[in-house]
Amino acid sequence: MKSCVAPGSQTETGRSMRRGACPSLAAPMRTGDGLLVRLRPAIDGLTPAELRALAEAAAACGSGIIEITARGNLQIRGLTASTVPNLAAAIGEAGIALADGIAIETPPLAGIDASETADPRPLAAALRAAIADRRPTFVLAPKLSIVIDGRGRFHLRDVAADLRLEARNSDDGLRWLLSLGGAPRPERPVALLETERVVAAVTEVLAELDALGAAARGRDLDADRIRQRFSADRDILPAPGGGALPFLPAGIHDFGDGRIVLGVALAFAQTDSANLIAFLQRAEELGASEIRFAPRHGILVLGLSSEAAAVAQRIALSQGFVVAADDPRNHIATCAGLACASALMDTKATARLLVEVGADLLDGSLAIHLSGCAKGCARPKPSALTLVGAPSGYALVVNGAASVAPSAYRDENGIRTALARLNALVRENKDAGESALSCLTRLGTARIVVAFEQG
């Protein structure tokens, strides 16, 4: 593979990208700890050796900090203008092809998950080819995404999308439900399409977005007009999702017929290259053949036997990875923290502190959001408890997103006590069998504020 760095791109690495753009090898994003690039492999997965080569390059060219995002994308941090070309060269030497263009996402175990209504990968490939062949090319929002979901066990229901296609069985055979999405509006179904109609329909919708301008997203489209165009009967469209429960990647997942998948997650979305390399080396020795990235900061390891997966799981835990669904770290959403120039809080240190003193809060009934600033990048939607970095220390938002007015403040020196008092509030007041979320909801904002500010 040739270098992904375009001529003149070293100049671009010295700039800050505008908000809303996606960092890539050709256009890294400036952050508080240097330059950041986001990498999307062009195929379903990497070999352990390929991912190990990426981790070694991350250490040689950057800070060695590797992230898997909430959407399942890989990020490398701490690069400089002079080391980005070296990273690109290392990726080329490893033979890793990277995807470009519109993000078309399928579930991480598409084609393996026997519970899928349909394998979405052929449809994704056909759509990518149609978009690549179109002239003139589409000019679309950098973060615009299309999700094509076969609706298996490892689905993408909780991954936001501008356009979503979900496989549905009907009396007339397989159909794909097309919905328009994008916060803050709920997803709006517009068509139930036969497979052979999908590519043309989605291309038509993309043309509308292209006509609206380079900042247009799925939320900006006129759903009623598109529904009238594609659907003869507007009343029969099912709702997106169909009650699918979210999944956590961590665990040993048995798909039958000897198909075992070991899932681990990056604690607070990050790992160090050395820890990842150590885990990959041992996993490969145990028989791992392929690595796939998953939403919710996950790494899925394929090719292991049940016995080998259990051994690899223990090795992953020793290297700091999350290996079980009941790990309290699963229930804390953190942004990059002080690695971002906008951050006023060390979110990773605060997350570790919360794990230490907040066991009763972290029962899995709620996600606690730790945001370095009011942008709330790690979790744009509301949370029961959101802690935001502020010039005066820490701001607490109850039942809201990081961007809304805080309910309480606490200085930096008192945050340990404040978190411990929130935990004690739940421990001392919850009824038998009651969850932390239910208890906090019953107690109300005023009690929560008192515990946080006066604890």
Side-chain angles (χ1 to χ4, degrees), residues 25 52 71 92 108 112 121 137 165 218 254 277 300 309 355 369 401 446:
L25 277 171
R52 194 165 64 246
R71 301 185 72 92
I112 293 175
R121 295 175 302 168
T137 57
L165 289 158
D254 189 344
I277 290 167
L300 303 178
V355 170
H369 180 193

Side-chain angles (χ1 to χ4, degrees), residues 213-229:
R217 304 294 296 271
R219 58 179 174 261
D220 301 316
L221 293 166
D222 185 336
D224 287 336
R225 186 166 55 81
I226 293 174
R227 192 178 296 116
Q228 289 173 345
R229 184 189 314 161

